[in-house]
Amino acid sequence: MEQYNIDELRELVEAKKYVELKTILAEQNEIDVALFLEELDPEPATVVFRILPKEMAAEVFAALSAPVQQHIVEAITDRELSAIIEDLYIDDAVDMLEELPANVVKRVLRNAKPDTRTLINQFLKYPDNSAGSIMTAEFVDLKKAMTVRDAFAYIRRTGIDKETVYTCYVIDASRRLEGVVSVKDLFLARDDQLIEEVMDRNVICASTLDDPEEVAHLFSKYGFLSLPVVDHEQRLVGIVTVDDAVEVIEQEATEDFEIMAALSPSETPYLKTSVLSLAKNRIVWLLVLMVSAMLTGGVLGKFEHAFAAMPLLVTFIPMLTDTGGNAGSQSSTLVIRGMAVGEIENRDFLRVLWKELRVSMLVGAILSLVNFVRLIITYPGNEMIALTVALSLFATVVIAKTIGGVLPMAAKFLKADPAIMAAPLITTIVDAVSLLVYFNIAMRLLNI
Amino acid sequence: MEQYNIDELRELVEAKKYVELKTILAEQNEIDVALFLEELDPEPATVVFRILPKEMAAEVFAALSAPVQQHIVEAITDRELSAIIEDLYIDDAVDMLEELPANVVKRVLRNAKPDTRTLINQFLKYPDNSAGSIMTAEFVDLKKAMTVRDAFAYIRRTGIDKETVYTCYVIDASRRLEGVVSVKDLFLARDDQLIEEVMDRNVICASTLDDPEEVAHLFSKYGFLSLPVVDHEQRLVGIVTVDDAVEVIEQEATEDFEIMAALSPSETPYLKTSVLSLAKNRIVWLLVLMVSAMLTGGVLGKFEHAFAAMPLLVTFIPMLTDTGGNAGSQSSTLVIRGMAVGEIENRDFLRVLWKELRVSMLVGAILSLVNFVRLIITYPGNEMIALTVALSLFATVVIAKTIGGVLPMAAKFLKADPAIMAAPLITTIVDAVSLLVYFNIAMRLLNI
């Protein structure tokens, strides 16, 4: 989908054909220009950034990664810096400042106009994981006494600085939110109608401290283009736009994938993460799970006499523990994802438990039967061993699925992240349980 | 975030206080009304649906589940049905028709106007997993010879039927896409400027047969509100709006979660899926994996003499296979997700391999060392056993991470879904490999 040939552009950079380069880049989407700059070394990237058309610079800058942003900030003049800051939307400016070293932040703030500086400082105070941290301040605010004609004039006068003009927010003198009106509503109204008559008073909004994940859910549920954010006094302080909500949805899914695979979540793309960081993100959980698995080994140690007497028993261990682990992960994954997208709530605990019990008995019965038949065929005359394995498998599947369905909900109830209760931990727990079940059944049925 | 008390509404339904109910529902968001109808039995749901304000009906209908939609379609008059069909956006109408039984579809099409019917039939032909299947036909098309003033007048005249008016598409006489212009651009232009002067000719667009996941990526990459879809002759046939892209992003993530947990993917929410369907979605992979694990058991069978001679060796099996499985899943998850969000491409194969090799040696060394020390302490005098376990663990982690990093990429290269190469399959493969490694090292170092 790239609209240009990257090698061609690179040659222009190397040949210092900046006029030609500028003409081509001016035609591209800002995101594509940013991706191109990321491919260059910091020096030429800065040079190319400075030749970009003025109206493009801020948007390209916002899409760059922190290291490239820092390099550019350090290389450009105070005047260029000031122009970029004023053109950036507040959320992008704040995102940038959070990544820069303190001395660079100081220089950036020194070059911002007083109003911008106040706004940036205010936005920097919102906690990292809050609606406030993903909102922006550039929205269209209308008054209910305006006519539709006034509103259009106002939007056309001020719209250039707004992140979205398509949903307008109607506020009173103390900035309290009274309604919303979309530009589509304005189009469909008569020019002399009052905003008061066309606005929708039933406004769905978020609070500055709401979880961004909850905010993103409102977008996927209602199909909004933007959502107003109010403070504790119901005053409108910002809006979240759908592109930021999409980013949150993708990041939250990535985070869940990582946690569910026993990784410490990281926002850096895989290929840009150093070997050391990758190792750090993986080692903690591997160590925890390894120690837990040692305990399972301890369980096994208690039955040394059993498998010394009947070594064949050992060969069924991988099948039992793997199937148990898989059965449990299936259930935990469905429940974790169901809770993440808001389909399963705490109050559904008993429904989940009851569902998992029935599903696990059905699935367990089929798996046990298949196993029993295969063992009867493979080891004729060893019916009791076949029965032992089949019974253990059935019990393992039922226990695994029940644990897998219930633990994520328990975690959420205890205000922990349900995603921890995924495959790795469930597998470890199920391993210990299934081995206990297996050898207890074996000792009883086989008299060892 | 619900704006009404559901029990209160339910009481109004039971008391048949429809006038009061209508007043309250008219104030709600259409999505919330649909969710409320889903909570009712089909009979009262249909009654309540029929009292909804006309301008609300189509949007509420579009948000209902297939069974409720069908119940309503069967209960309402041909005239009511016709009104709803004409008010539905084409993508919602097509979604509905794909779920309804053939006789109901016939009745729906009979009650659509000829133009609508032609359009619906055309849209029904796009394959299920294509951009065509998620696009809609209700967009604003402008001509480049129009002035900005003309464009505004045109939008205000026709906008009521459009899914979005905020991005307008400029087409020539044979409907070929020439440019896009946003309403924001129109606001910022002078009334007498020509569309030709304000439109952007560098249009990023999709083709009708593109994968919806790729289309959704364009939204998350560029932050679009809508994206034009063209046929093989570059004629504009529809648009995809951001709300549909968000739905695709969430569905694709859910599908990956399910496949990665060895589940056959399903679009029905967990709580609404029957026990039988849930069991069916789980049993296939469990059987496949169980049979694979039996093969692993077979591997183990070859070493019966080894653990008959030294039963202690068996107690380290869970730790080895679990750690191997976890280490491999970590790598495969990172690579699968990296490919899903477009951060890792086929051409990065060697970079991934090289990264995983280094990370796995680092992580493997730490885990082995911890294990060695703990075994030396727990089983003094058994240094050779400690060494066997530590070496096996190191080899297992390195092999597991290499396999985990490489297999998803190989799957993609072979046009299979990389998500299959997740925890369950990796664990099964790693199990067999790690046991082979373990017992071969044991037999050599311990002379058994």
Side-chain angles (χ1 to χ4, degrees), chain B residues 53-74:
Chain B
K54 288 274 161 297
E55 64 278 12
M56 202 173 204
E59 209 175 321
V60 171
F61 187 83
L64 290 170
S65 67
V68 183
Q69 282 183 338
Q70 184 178 345
H71 203 277
I72 289 175
V73 168
E74 284 168 351

Side-chain angles (χ1 to χ4, degrees), chain B residues 5 31 53 55 60 68 70 73 77 89 101 118 122 173 206 226 229 291 297 316 319 321 346 379 448:
Chain B
N5 179 327
I31 305 290
E55 64 278 12
V60 171
V68 183
Q70 184 178 345
V73 168
T77 66
Y89 294 122
T118 313
Q122 179 199 329
S226 59
V229 183
V291 172
F316 304 120
M319 188 276 296
T321 55
N346 281 342
Y379 303 99
I448 36 180

Side-chain angles (χ1 to χ4, degrees), chain A residues 44-336:
Chain A
T46 308
V47 176
V48 175
F49 178 79
R50 295 176 82 169
I51 63 164
L52 291 179
K54 288 276 160 294
E55 63 279 11
M56 201 174 207
E59 209 175 320
V60 171
F61 186 83
L64 291 170
S65 67
V68 183
Q69 282 183 337
Q70 183 177 346
H71 203 278
I72 289 174
V73 168
E74 282 167 352
I76 61 182
T77 67
D78 281 3
R79 212 170 124 193
E80 287 172 307
L81 181 57
S82 167
I84 289 175
I85 300 163
E86 297 304 325
D87 275 355
L88 279 178
Y89 295 122
I90 286 294
D91 55 341
D92 294 325
V94 169
D95 282 352
M96 166 187 78
L97 291 175
E98 280 172 342
E99 301 288 334
L100 292 179
N103 60 328
V104 187
V105 172
K106 261 192 205 151
R107 182 165 160 248
V108 170
L109 287 178
R110 207 171 50 231
N111 283 288
K113 289 186 189 159
D115 283 0
T116 314
R117 197 181 318 149
T118 313
L119 209 52
I120 289 178
N121 277 320
Q122 179 199 326
F123 272 59
L124 275 170
K125 279 191 206 115
Y126 293 112
D128 221 20
N129 202 29
S130 70
S133 74
I134 57 166
M135 73 186 182
T136 189
E138 289 85 358
F139 52 84
V140 178
D141 48 351
L142 302 176
K143 296 277 183 285
K144 60 184 176 188
M146 284 178 165
T147 62
V148 169
R149 188 182 296 109
D150 295 340
F152 275 128
Y154 180 72
I155 295 171
R156 293 184 80 159
R157 209 166 57 234
T158 62
I160 193 161
D161 294 327
K162 307 303 183 190
E163 183 148 359
T164 180
V165 301
Y166 303 132
T167 311
C168 305
Y169 300 91
V170 186
I171 53 176
D172 68 11
S174 50
R175 303 197 62 78
R176 253 180 286 265
L177 188 58
E178 296 186 302
V180 290
V181 60
S182 71
V183 164
K184 187 170 174 182
D185 297 332
L186 294 178
F187 276 143
L188 301 177
R190 291 187 325 276
D191 272 339
D192 56 353
Q193 271 186 293
L194 289 179
I195 293 301
E196 192 171 3
E197 300 165 38
V198 290
M199 75 183 190
D200 186 352
R201 286 163 203 276
N202 176 33
V203 188
I204 294 171
C205 61
S207 298
T208 46
L209 296 182
D210 281 354
D211 184 346
E213 198 170 356
E214 304 278 327
V215 175
H217 272 176
L218 293 177
F219 280 87
S220 60
K221 179 176 173 188
Y222 293 106
F224 292 140
L225 297 182
S226 59
L227 186 80
V229 183
V230 297
D231 65 12
H232 57 282
E233 291 175 56
Q234 297 297 309
R235 282 179 314 215
L236 182 63
V237 286
I239 61 167
V240 176
T241 49
V242 63
D243 52 320
D244 293 316
V246 169
E247 211 178 305
V248 170
I249 289 172
E250 290 216 315
Q251 274 174 3
E252 295 287 343
T254 299
E255 198 182 298
D256 277 356
F257 274 113
E258 291 175 344
I259 296 174
M260 289 170 74
L263 289 153
S264 313
S266 139
E267 283 187 14
T268 327
Y270 174 83
L271 290 174
K272 297 202 171 176
T273 315
S274 69
V275 169
L276 215 63
S277 308
L278 283 175
K280 221 174 63 188
N281 293 339
R282 300 181 190 188
I283 192 73
V284 183
W285 268 105
L286 284 182
L287 274 171
V288 171
L289 292 166
M290 186 176 79
V291 172
S292 320
M294 284 174 183
L295 300 179
T296 307
V299 169
L300 216 42
K302 299 252 179 299
F303 301 101
E304 260 183 45
H305 64 285
F307 48 80
M310 200 173 279
L312 182 61
L313 287 180
V314 173
T315 65
F316 304 119
I317 290 180
M319 187 275 296
L320 260 182
T321 54
D322 279 7
T323 307
N326 290 330
S329 315
Q330 287 181 333
S331 307
S332 73
T333 299
L334 281 178
V335 173
I336 291 169

